[in-house]
Amino acid sequence: MFKGIVASPGIAIGPVMLLTKKSEEILKNKRTILSVEDEKEKFKIALEKTKNDIINIKEKIIYDIGSKEGDIFNAYLQLLHDPGFVGKTEQIIREQKVNIEFALGQVLQNYLEFFNKISDPYLKERSRDISGLIERIIKNISETHAIEQKKVSGKFIIVAEDLTPTDTAELDKTKVLGFITEKGTQTSHTAIVARALEIPAVVGVKDITSNVKNGDLVIIDGDRGFAVVNPSQKVLNTYKEEQKKYLLKNKVLKKLKKLESKTQDNRKIELNANIEFAEEIGSVLENNADGIGLFRTEFIYINRANLPTEEEQFNIYKTVVQKMGKKPVTIRTLDIGGDKYLPYFKIPPEQNPFLGLRAIRLSLVNISIFSVQIRAILRASAFGNIKIMFPMITVVEEFLEAKKIVEEIKAELKKKKVNFDENIKIGAMIEVPSIVLLSDELAKYADFFSIGTNDLVQYTLAVDRGNETVAKLYDNLNPAVLKLIKMAVESAHKNNLKISVCGEMAADPVIAFLLVGLGVDELSMNSASILNVKGLIRNIKFQDAIEVADAVLKMKNSVEIKNFLFEKLKNKLKGKEKL
Ligand code: PEP
Ligand code: MG
């Protein structure tokens, strides 16, 4: 039994599919492809990512060592445009209708044979450069089209050292029962995407890839964060029973679908959905969310070879808002940087990406990209109830600057007689301590607040949210975090604004109880958690929640707080296996 970090709930049982990183094996893996064009597009994306990687490494080397050393990387960059290399690979894909990896394997073979005939040691060394480059491209291809799920028959559990948010987004839900990784944490975007896809997952499981082989039977206990490899019959039976109970519980929860999200003393708490992809709308409607509280639009930008056009974005936003009928859709503008990057858009090398050119900061220095998105959102706002939200606001001026750009684009659209919602609401994410302290001032300009607790915890406690080695220090019930939430709620209410929580905390019923008591008006979470949280809301009194929150704010540490919350909710949790 291996202990990891809870990433996505549920129980999955199935055979292991180990994601091998050995490039020699990958290069020999021949596959007939269905579409030459698709394969060439994947190759193009992988080349772009590789180019970006190399430029980043080069700049880092120039910064750390010197420009001469950095220039060594020019040879790699040239190779990425070399017709003998790129053209030859494409030719093999086209003529033999084979996958990129196999084509690259053949190209590499040709190079190696050529270099073998040469005695010059300098030139011989260049063959290593080519191998290194191909290895990097392979890595980027496997990130691009993730796992070769299609060629495996039957369902399986993926075990990998790491999966990027993009890899996870590409998992084939019909085949992947769940995944286990060595890296990652609960609030890393990989885990967030797993929850969106409703795939059980455990992350941060040390050395798991060296302890399983393909075909081993494995159990994922996504609620407790365990991976059980080759379980005994007894353990297997227990988990099969649990799995049945889990499915039954979900069936019971469905009965709450049509019921209102109101406490017993009539406090309405809106329960919204967080989405990453337009395809999630089915699940949003299935769970009858009151609206979309967070559309993480960066996932529209990820995993492509170029920026999405205004028209492409407009169509996505329009589809989403139309499918939601009259319900609100909160579109967060691009939040790239940190652990999310675009292959075709270069961010200069950073020592601390989460503190770097991320989110609204990036939009404000790339106004053309930002403007395209804003235009698309505004045009879609003519078709339903859309709100705009800016991520990672740190100071008030940033919000004003972004809002000014929206106003300018509104004026431009008006002039061109393009329809849009002239009263569109513009809100700010509260995810940095500085803006909590300045929230009273910000509230004068914003139409609503939404607390991104995933980042607020990271920035308050100075703990990288994606780093499993410090995951124990990532403590969302830390009194410092709770005080900041309370302060943001007070600023919002003092200025007649609604405030929501759209971080992962909102999806935990025990914590949701506390958030309601702290005065939060709305909660936004992955769709699959909505009915679970609704079950809690309908079982509590707002007045009790307020008293509990008041008591919690006087407590000194999160252990005390957690125990107190469980104690208070014990009776409500009784008889409901886990709310
Ligand atoms: C957050 O930080 O809590 C949030 C909702 O945004 P993201 O997880 O996308 O950073
Ligand atoms: Mg955030």
Side-chain angles (χ1 to χ4, degrees), residues 189 332 335 358 429 431 452 454-455 465:
H189 284 96
R332 176 175 78 182
D335 184 1
R358 190 193 156 190
M429 287 200 72
E431 352 187 47
N454 304 337
D455 277 315
R465 65 190 263 192

Side-chain angles (χ1 to χ4, degrees), residues 56-119:
N56 282 341
I57 299 169
K58 179 184 157 186
E59 286 178 3
K60 188 166 178 349
I61 297 281
I62 292 175
Y63 181 80
D64 288 346
I65 311 172
S67 68
K68 223 170 98 213
E69 285 72 14
D71 285 344
I72 295 168
F73 292 89
N74 289 342
Y76 286 104
L77 291 171
Q78 272 164 14
L79 250 178
L80 286 173
H81 295 288
D82 184 51
F85 176 65
V86 179
K88 183 74 191 160
T89 310
E90 284 183 345
Q91 187 191 345
I92 297 174
I93 293 174
R94 197 172 52 244
E95 287 175 359
Q96 301 183 25
K97 300 215 174 346
V98 286
N99 52 318
I100 321 166
E101 297 88 335
F102 185 72
L104 279 171
Q106 295 210 327
V107 171
L108 177 65
Q109 198 54 38
N110 291 344
Y111 273 106
L112 293 181
E113 280 165 16
F114 170 74
F115 282 115
N116 257 341
K117 293 187 200 127
I118 301 175
S119 52

Side-chain angles (χ1 to χ4, degrees), residues 12-30:
I13 304 172
V16 165
M17 177 165 141
L18 194 58
L19 287 192
T20 165
K21 289 258 156 69
K22 284 209 185 96
S23 48
E24 316 92 79
E25 280 174 34
I26 296 172
L27 290 172
K28 283 189 207 138
N29 186 356
K30 184 174 178 177

Side-chain angles (χ1 to χ4, degrees), residues 187-189 192 274 276 294 296 298-299 332 335 339-340 354 358 389 391 429-431 450-456 458-459 465 474 501-505 524:
T187 46
S188 57
H189 284 96
I192 289 173
N274 291 352
E276 287 70 33
L294 169 65
R296 289 185 165 97
E298 51 278 7
F299 285 90
R332 176 175 78 182
D335 184 1
D339 61 347
K340 290 172 287 192
F354 272 113
R358 190 193 156 190
M389 180 159 79
M429 287 200 72
I430 305 288
E431 352 187 47
S450 186
I451 311 179
T453 47
N454 304 337
D455 277 315
L456 186 62
Q458 135 164 292
Y459 293 129
R465 65 190 263 192
Y474 187 96
V501 167
C502 62
E504 299 307 302
M505 278 169 82
S524 194

Side-chain angles (χ1 to χ4, degrees), residues 33 111 210 264 413 478 575:
I33 51 163
Y111 273 106
S210 351
Q264 290 172 348
L413 292 178
N478 185 289

